[in-house]
Amino acid sequence: RTLKRHNYVTPTNYLELVERCRINLHVVLAMSPVGEAFRTRCRMYPALVSGTTIDWFQQWPADALTEVAVRYLEKVETVEEGVKVAIATVFAHVHLSVSDISERMLRTLKRHNYVTPTNYLELVKGYRVVLAEKVNEVGSQVNKLKNGLAKLTDAKQQVAEMSEILAVKKVTVAQSQKDCEELLVVIVSERRTADEQQKHVEAESAKISVEAKETAAIASDAQRDLDVALPALQNAMAEVDKLDKSSISEVKAYTTPPAKVQLCLEAVMILFRLKTDWPTAKKKISEANFLQQVKSYDKDTVPESMVKKLAKYVKNPDFSVDSVKAVSAAAGALCVWVHAINIYAGVAKEVEPKRKKLAKAEKSLATKQAALQASTDALKIVIDKVADLDKQYKDSVGEKEAL
């Protein structure tokens, strides 16, 4: 689709635009009369004279100059109001005097020297700037003078005070010197005591270290003997862990148990310090916590008499684990447990003297270690005391040097 162009600019519209611009357009031309430029432009463009209204700005009168200067000096706080008026009058007089001299120079030398209001404003502004600089400069010098006088006064006072303090400190220095000498004697004595006590502690520590090694050797020897019996006992407990109430119920079901089962339960009843007949054994294994009693049996307190009673059972070929298991798995597990307790009791019998020896050695070692710790603590107290005295001595010397 083709767009239709419209021309809205017509001669009538254009003339109306020109008329409105002529009525409403105001042009202000500001030119300086200084030099040849203004005269040249007037010759080249006569309409500047014939088609314009000329306003000639004449020289400001003295009252106007004074009033302007007073207004510019209103914000200056360092000058009194009466002085401000006098200064403004001087500014006006100077400006008018320069204008008069410029006119005389024009008449005499035919040379122009233009004095404009701008020059006057620059004069007033320049005065304000210079005044501010001088006020700051004088104020700074006054402050420096005040500070200098104050410091001299403080110095004089401090010298008087220091003279009094010096007289007192001379006495203090003499006393400090005496205290340092006495303290040094005490430090030497205490340090000698600490050295002797340290030698004693080191000697005792060496002895106890040897004894600790011997005690560890005894414990290691006893543990080696126990390690022979512990695997068998652990295997036996593993077999017992396999038992449950149904396994025990199998044994309880016998009215008259087989000979090998009877033999196994007699050995078990010996370990529980009970009669070895079947009713007693049946009643014992019927207890709800029987298996827990077997698992928590105190293997370390089996007496020699009980071991002797078990001897005829463990040596009996019919009491072997395999033969008993062939009749009853539950009885076989209890048979393994009895054999393990018997082995452990035999080893424990051999280990018991070593245990007693170990306990005695550990008790002796603990006593000596406690004594060593007490000596060490006492040594630490002495060392701390020496360190404290040494610190006091250094502080006293430092204080004396400071004085």
Side-chain angles (χ1 to χ4, degrees), residues 6-17:
H6 296 279
N7 187 3
Y8 293 102
V9 181
T10 63
T12 303
N13 292 342
Y14 178 73
L15 292 175
E16 184 180 356
L17 174 64

Coordinates of all heavy atoms in Angstrom, one line a residue, residues 6-17:
H6 N 1.4 14.5 2.7 CA 0.6 15.7 2.9 C 1.6 16.8 3.1 O 2.5 16.7 4.0 CB -0.3 15.6 4.0 CG -1.4 14.5 3.8 ND1 -2.5 14.8 3.1 CD2 -1.5 13.3 4.2 CE1 -3.3 13.7 3.0 NE2 -2.7 12.7 3.7
N7 N 1.5 17.9 2.4 CA 2.4 19.1 2.7 C 1.6 20.1 3.5 O 0.7 20.7 2.9 CB 2.8 19.7 1.3 CG 3.9 20.7 1.5 OD1 4.3 21.0 2.6 ND2 4.3 21.4 0.4
Y8 N 1.9 20.2 4.8 CA 1.2 21.1 5.7 C 1.8 22.5 5.7 O 1.3 23.4 6.4 CB 1.2 20.6 7.1 CG 0.4 19.3 7.3 CD1 1.1 18.0 7.3 CD2 -1.0 19.3 7.3 CE1 0.4 16.9 7.4 CE2 -1.7 18.1 7.4 CZ -1.0 16.9 7.5 OH -1.7 15.8 7.6
V9 N 2.9 22.7 5.1 CA 3.6 24.1 5.0 C 3.0 24.8 3.8 O 3.3 24.4 2.6 CB 5.1 23.9 4.9 CG1 5.7 25.3 4.9 CG2 5.6 23.1 6.1
T10 N 2.3 25.9 4.1 CA 1.7 26.7 3.0 C 2.3 28.1 3.2 O 2.8 28.5 4.2 CB 0.2 26.8 3.1 OG1 -0.1 27.4 4.4 CG2 -0.4 25.4 3.1
P11 N 2.2 29.0 2.2 CA 2.7 30.4 2.3 C 2.1 31.1 3.4 O 2.7 31.9 4.1 CB 2.4 31.0 0.9 CG 2.4 29.8 0.0 CD 1.8 28.7 0.8
T12 N 0.8 30.8 3.7 CA 0.1 31.6 4.7 C 0.7 31.2 6.1 O 0.9 32.0 7.0 CB -1.4 31.2 4.7 OG1 -1.9 31.6 3.4 CG2 -2.2 32.0 5.8
N13 N 0.9 29.9 6.3 CA 1.4 29.4 7.5 C 2.8 29.9 7.8 O 3.2 30.3 8.9 CB 1.5 27.8 7.6 CG 0.1 27.2 7.6 OD1 -0.8 27.9 8.0 ND2 0.0 26.0 7.2
Y14 N 3.6 30.0 6.7 CA 5.0 30.5 6.8 C 5.0 31.9 7.3 O 5.8 32.3 8.1 CB 5.7 30.3 5.5 CG 7.1 30.8 5.5 CD1 8.1 30.1 6.2 CD2 7.5 32.0 4.9 CE1 9.4 30.6 6.3 CE2 8.8 32.4 4.9 CZ 9.7 31.7 5.6 OH 11.0 32.2 5.7
L15 N 4.1 32.8 6.6 CA 4.1 34.2 7.0 C 3.6 34.4 8.4 O 4.1 35.3 9.1 CB 3.1 34.9 6.0 CG 3.6 35.0 4.6 CD1 2.5 35.7 3.7 CD2 4.9 35.8 4.5
E16 N 2.7 33.5 8.9 CA 2.2 33.6 10.2 C 3.4 33.3 11.2 O 3.5 33.9 12.2 CB 1.0 32.7 10.5 CG 0.4 32.8 11.9 CD -0.7 31.9 12.1 OE1 -1.1 31.2 11.1 OE2 -1.2 31.8 13.2
L17 N 4.2 32.3 10.9 CA 5.3 31.9 11.7 C 6.3 33.1 11.8 O 6.8 33.4 12.9 CB 6.0 30.7 11.1 CG 7.3 30.2 11.8 CD1 7.0 29.9 13.3 CD2 7.9 29.1 11.1

